[in-house]
C-alpha cells in the first residue's frame, strides 16, 4: 500500500491571528514559528507583511532564521502587497508567494465591485508580476465553494497559464459538504487545462464543524496540501485544526492511504504555547488537546482502562506529549479507580479503610463534582490517621495594594507534624505566594503553566486551578478548587510538588529493588 505524503501548511500566525482578540507581538510570532518548525510543519505562513512594519519585520526574521522550512508571503492581488511579501521573504531558503482574490459573485458584486472579466485580468497580471521574482506561486480563489465550477475552472486555467504552481480552493465560509468539496477538487483537476500539472491545496473554515471532514475529503479529491491552524483558531469558528487533521490521518492512515511528516510528540506543547501566547483558552471537550480528550470519570470506562487502555482510547496521549491523567475522580468513579489513584502515590488501602474512604469520597464528589488528588489524600489521611502527602498547605496570607510589590506569607505542615512558614515577594499576589512555597518545598521544578476556571457564578462562586510543573523531565499536574483563586492556585501547586516528590521517591525505591 502506497501512503501519499500530505504537506501541512500552517497559517496559525496569519489566518489564526485574525481570530478576534488573538493578536500577538512580532517577537512572540518568532517564538511560535520556531515551535512550529520543531513540530515539523512543511510550510509556515507567518503573517501579512504589508499590514504593518512589525508584521513585515517578523516575517523577515522568520524567513532568515528557519532555513529548513518553506516560508510563505501572503498578499492580495495588489502590486504593493506582492512587493512587500517578496521583500519580506527574500532571505528564506525556500519561499512561496501566496496570492488571493475573491471569485464568488456575491464577493464580486458587493465587495470587489468588479466583473468576472476584471477578476480574470487582475489574477493574470498579478500572478505574472509575482512570477518574475518568485518561482513558487500559490493562487487562492477566495470563496471558491460558492463560485460555481465553470468560473473556478476558467480562473484556475488563467493563473496556471501565468505560472501558478499551487492552486488553493478555499471553503472560505465553511459551507461545503465533504462530498461537494471532494467533487470540486476532482472536477477542477480533470477539467482545467493544465490542471494535472499543478498541486492542489485545501483551506477549510469550521462554520458548520466540517473543516476537518472537508479537508480529508479534499485529500480524497487529489489535494496534496492542507492549510491548518493550531487549536483550529481563525476567523469566526476557526480553521481546520492541525492536531485533529494530523491525528485523524495518523489513526486512519490505512483507510486514507495518506500521512504527514508531523512530529506528533510536539503536538501538546505547541497547542499550549499557542493558547497561552494568544490568550485563547482551549475548550474542555476539544478533540486531541482539550483537557477532557483523554480523561474518564465513568466507573465502567475507568475499570476498562485500568485493564486495557485500548478499551476506551483510540490514541496514546503520551505519544503527543500529553500528560497521562486519564482517570478523573468524580461521583461516577468506583472503588477500583480510587484504589488505583492511591497506588500511584504508593498508598495501599483495602477492606474497611477503603470503604470509609469511598463513603467520604462520594459525599465530597456530590458537593464538588471533581475530587482532586490533594482532597483524596486528605480523605485517606483521615481514614488512616496518617498524613500521606509530604506537604500540606495550612495558611496563606497576602498583602496587596497600589505598590508594585506584593508580599505573601505561606505556612505548610510536613509529615512529622511540624509547621514551617516563609515570606516571599512578587509583582502580583500569585507570584509572591509561589515564591514563598518554593522556599518551603525543596523540589527543583519548573513552574510551567496555570489554568484558572470558574466553576459557578454568583457570590459563592468557586474557582478551579490546574498547575503544571516540570521535574526530572516529567510533567506533574495539581488541581484544587476554592472560592479564593489565589488559595486554589497555591494548593494546586503544592499538590503538583507532592506528586513530583512522591514520584521521585518511588523511582528510587524501584531502582534500589
Amino acid at each position: 500500500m502506497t501512503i501519499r505524503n500530505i504537506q501541512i501548511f500552517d497559517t496559525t500566525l496569519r489566518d489564526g491571528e485574525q481570530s478576534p482578540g488573538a493578536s500577538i507581538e512580532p517577537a512572540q510570532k518568532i517564538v511560535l514559528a520556531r515551535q512550529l518548525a520543531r513540530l515539523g510543519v512543511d510550510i509556515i505562513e507567518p503573517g501579512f507583511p504589508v499590514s504593518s512594519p512589525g508584521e513585515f519585520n517578523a516575517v523577515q526574521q522568520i524567513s532568515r532564521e528557519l532555513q529548513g522550512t518553506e516560508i510563505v508571503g501572503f498578499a492580495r492581488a495588489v502590486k504593493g502587497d506582492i512587493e512587500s511579501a517578496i521583500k519580506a521573504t527574500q532571505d528564506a531558503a525556500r519561499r512561496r508567494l501566496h496570492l488571493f482574490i475573491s471569485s464568488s459573485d456575491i464577493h464580486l458584486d458587493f465587495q470587489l465591485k468588479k466583473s468576472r472579466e476584471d477578476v480574470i485580468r487582475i489574477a493574470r497580471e498579478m500572478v505574472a508580476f509575482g512570477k518574475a521574482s518568485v518561482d513558487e506561486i500559490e493562487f487562492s480563489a477566495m470563496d471558491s465553494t460558492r463560485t460555481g465550477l465553470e468560473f473556478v475552472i476558467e480562473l484556475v486555467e488563467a493563473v496556471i497559464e501565468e505560472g501558478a504552481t499551487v492552486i488553493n480552493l478555499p471553503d472560505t465560509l465553511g459551507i461545503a459538504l465533504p462530498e461537494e468539496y471532494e467533487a470540486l477538487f476532482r472536477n477542477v483537476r480533470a477539467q482545467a487545462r493544465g490542471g494535472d500539472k499543478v498541486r492542489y491545496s485545501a483551506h477549510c473554515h469550521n462554520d458548520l464543524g466540517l473543516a476537518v471532514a472537508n479537508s480529508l475529503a479534499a485529500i480524497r479529491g487529489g489535494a496534496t496540501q492542507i492549510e491548518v491552524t493550531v487549536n483550529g483558531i481563525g476567523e469566526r469558528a476557526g480553521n481546520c485544526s492541525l492536531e485533529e487533521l494530523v491525528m485523524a490521518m495518523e489513526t486512519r492512515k490505512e483507510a486514507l492511504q495518506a500521512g504527514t511528516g508531523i512530529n506528533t510528540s510536539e503536538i501538546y506543547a505547541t497547542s499550549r504555547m499557542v493558547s497561552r501566547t494568544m490568550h485563547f483558552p482551549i475548550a474542555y471537550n476539544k478533540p486531541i488537546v482539550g483537557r477532557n480528550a483523554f480523561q474518564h470519570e465513568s466507573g465502567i470506562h475507568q475499570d476498562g482502562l485500568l485493564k486495557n487502555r485500548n478499551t476506551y482510547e483510540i490514541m496514546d496521549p503520551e505519544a503527543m506529549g500529553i500528560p497521562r491523567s486519564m482517570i478523573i475522580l468524580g461521583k461516577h468513579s468506583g472503588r477500583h479507580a480510587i484504589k488505583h489513584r492511591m497506588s500511584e502515590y504508593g498508598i495501599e488501602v483495602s477492606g474497611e479503610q477503603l470503604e470509609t474512604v469511598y463513603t467520604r469520597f462520594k459525599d465530597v464528589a456530590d458537593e464538588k463534582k471533581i475530587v482532586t488528588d490533594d482532597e483524596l489524600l486528605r480523605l485517606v489521611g483521615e481514614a488512616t490517621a496518617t498524613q500521606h502527602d509530604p506537604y500540606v498547605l495550612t495558611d496563606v496570607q497576602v498583602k496587596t495594594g497600589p505598590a508594585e510589590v506584593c508580599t505573601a506569607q505561606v505556612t505548610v505542615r510536613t509529615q512529622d507534624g511540624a509547621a514551617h512558614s516563609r515570606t516571599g515577594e512578587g509583582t502580583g499576589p500569585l507570584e509572591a505566594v509561589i515564591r514563598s512555597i518554593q522556599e518551603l518545598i525543596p523540589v527543583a521544578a519548573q513552574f510551567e503553566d496555570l489554568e484558572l476556571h470558574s466553576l459557578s457564578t454568583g457570590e459563592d462562586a468557586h474557582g478551579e486551578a490546574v498547575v503544571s510543573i516540570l521535574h526530572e523531565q516529567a510533567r506533574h499536574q495539581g488541581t484544587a478548587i476554592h472560592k479564593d483563586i489565589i488559595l486554589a492556585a497555591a494548593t494546586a501547586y503544592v499538590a503538583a510538588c507532592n506528586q513530583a516528590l512522591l514520584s521521585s521517591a518511588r523511582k528510587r525505591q524501584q531502582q534500589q529493588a
Side-chain angles (χ1 to χ4, degrees):
M1 179 180 66
T2 302
I3 300 295
R4 287 190 299 146
N5 180 61
I6 303 301
Q7 288 198 308
I8 297 299
F9 177 119
D10 186 274
T11 185
T12 302
L13 303 179
R14 199 276 300 171
D15 203 336
E17 196 195 9
Q18 291 174 202
S19 302
S23 180
I24 57 176
E25 298 293 329
Q28 294 173 314
K29 277 199 170 192
I30 295 163
V31 174
L32 286 174
R34 291 173 187 146
Q35 179 59 33
L36 291 170
R38 282 191 290 272
L39 179 64
V41 302
D42 301 284
I43 304 127
I44 295 177
E45 187 171 62
F48 192 6
V50 79
S51 63
S52 74
E55 189 85 343
F56 179 93
N57 291 335
V59 175
Q60 187 176 61
Q61 184 170 339
I62 290 166
S63 298
R64 290 170 176 170
E65 183 175 330
L66 301 182
Q67 294 290 295
T69 307
E70 186 173 355
I71 306 299
V72 173
F74 183 71
R76 294 167 297 183
V78 176
K79 279 190 176 181
D81 285 25
I82 295 170
E83 289 170 340
S84 182
I86 290 172
K87 187 175 181 180
T89 58
Q90 65 184 356
D91 295 326
R94 290 182 296 124
R95 67 168 170 168
R96 178 185 304 186
L97 179 63
H98 183 188
L99 303 178
F100 77 95
I101 193 168
S102 291
S103 59
S104 65
D105 287 339
I106 192 167
H107 278 209
L108 270 57
D109 293 343
F110 293 96
Q111 187 177 22
L112 290 184
K113 299 189 182 301
K114 295 185 182 299
S115 67
R116 287 184 167 185
E117 291 73 20
D118 290 333
V119 168
I120 293 284
R121 175 182 53 79
I122 293 169
R124 279 186 176 278
E125 290 176 356
M126 293 304 99
V127 170
F129 179 70
K131 190 70 174 180
S133 301
V134 180
D135 292 330
E136 193 80 277
I137 304 285
E138 176 172 337
F139 177 81
S140 289
M142 188 162 73
D143 204 19
S144 64
T145 52
R146 296 197 301 172
T147 297
L149 180 62
E150 184 179 337
F151 184 59
V152 170
I153 290 174
E154 186 179 355
L155 185 56
V156 167
E157 287 178 341
V159 296
I160 290 175
E161 286 180 7
E162 300 299 334
T165 54
V166 180
I167 301 299
N168 181 29
L169 304 175
D171 184 23
T172 307
L173 274 296
I175 195 171
L177 296 175
E179 57 270 25
E180 296 169 343
Y181 203 49
E182 178 181 350
L184 176 63
F185 280 85
R186 288 191 184 280
N187 289 328
V188 171
R189 288 177 63 230
Q191 298 178 35
R193 288 190 305 274
D196 58 342
K197 301 296 193 297
V198 294
R199 305 193 304 280
Y200 288 84
S201 179
H203 181 111
C204 298
H205 281 261
N206 205 37
D207 297 72
L208 295 177
L210 294 171
V212 174
N214 281 335
S215 296
L216 294 173
I219 292 171
R220 291 193 295 272
T224 57
Q225 173 184 289
I226 304 296
E227 303 185 10
V228 299
T229 60
V230 176
N231 299 335
I233 62 172
E235 293 276 7
R236 305 180 312 280
N239 292 288
C240 175
S241 162
L242 179 150
E243 57 279 0
E244 293 177 31
L245 176 81
V246 168
M247 292 314 299
M249 294 175 67
E250 184 70 21
T251 305
R252 303 303 310 277
K253 186 176 292 185
E254 292 185 3
L256 294 168
Q257 296 185 18
T260 73
I262 291 294
N263 177 9
T264 57
S265 66
E266 291 289 339
I267 284 178
Y268 184 72
T270 308
S271 168
R272 302 299 301 164
M273 184 181 290
V274 169
S275 175
R276 288 196 301 265
T277 304
M278 294 189 170
H279 306 290
F280 235 68
I282 300 170
Y284 282 8
N285 64 335
K286 170 78 169 65
I288 314 300
V289 293
R291 64 177 294 182
N292 288 353
F294 296 96
Q295 294 184 344
H296 310 262
E297 187 188 334
S298 162
I300 294 172
H301 285 216
Q302 290 175 349
D303 183 57
L305 285 164
L306 293 174
K307 293 171 180 175
N308 187 319
R309 182 185 64 80
N310 292 325
T311 53
Y312 290 101
E313 286 187 353
I314 60 172
M315 294 170 279
D316 179 7
E318 291 175 322
M320 292 173 275
I322 300 172
R324 172 159 292 290
S325 53
M326 63 183 183
I327 302 295
I328 293 300
L329 299 179
K331 67 178 183 179
H332 301 294
S333 300
R335 294 171 180 81
H336 288 297
I338 294 172
K339 193 172 181 178
H340 170 74
R341 181 59 56 84
M342 286 296 92
S343 68
E344 291 182 336
Y345 285 95
I347 302 167
E348 298 297 330
V349 290
S350 59
E352 291 184 6
Q353 285 184 343
L354 178 59
E355 289 304 314
T356 301
V357 171
Y358 185 67
T359 301
R360 295 182 181 181
F361 167 86
K362 285 293 187 181
D363 292 337
V364 173
D366 279 334
E367 179 186 353
K368 295 187 175 180
K369 305 284 191 287
I370 295 173
V371 180
T372 60
D373 284 2
D374 66 294
E375 188 75 29
L376 182 60
L377 286 168
R378 182 183 65 79
L379 295 175
V380 176
E382 291 173 356
T384 61
T386 305
Q387 178 179 319
H388 292 286
D389 36 5
Y391 296 91
V392 173
L393 186 67
T394 59
D395 187 52
V396 174
Q397 297 183 31
V398 181
K399 182 181 179 181
T400 63
E404 293 183 0
V405 177
C406 295
T407 304
Q409 184 180 57
V410 173
T411 303
V412 299
R413 186 179 67 245
T414 53
Q415 286 179 308
D416 60 5
H420 304 270
S421 300
R422 289 290 187 278
T423 300
E425 294 182 342
T427 55
L430 181 59
E431 184 180 17
V433 168
I434 296 301
R435 286 183 174 176
S436 302
I437 295 172
Q438 288 172 336
E439 289 288 322
L440 286 164
I441 301 179
V443 54
Q446 175 188 342
F447 188 101
E448 183 187 41
D449 193 25
L450 166 66
E451 294 180 34
L452 290 173
H453 307 283
S454 175
L455 298 182
S456 54
T457 58
E459 295 178 358
D460 62 342
H462 283 72
E464 180 192 35
V466 182
V467 170
S468 300
I469 65 172
L470 288 175
H471 178 248
E472 296 179 351
Q473 299 182 329
R475 182 177 285 106
H476 301 274
Q477 279 190 341
T479 306
I481 299 170
H482 202 276
K483 289 184 179 180
D484 185 328
I485 59 172
I486 299 298
L487 188 54
T491 305
Y493 180 60
V494 172
C497 290
N498 281 335
Q499 283 188 24
L501 291 168
L502 290 168
S503 176
S504 295
R506 287 198 302 276
K507 286 179 181 177
R508 287 194 298 271
Q509 290 173 355
Q510 291 169 356
Q511 289 171 355
Q512 291 170 359

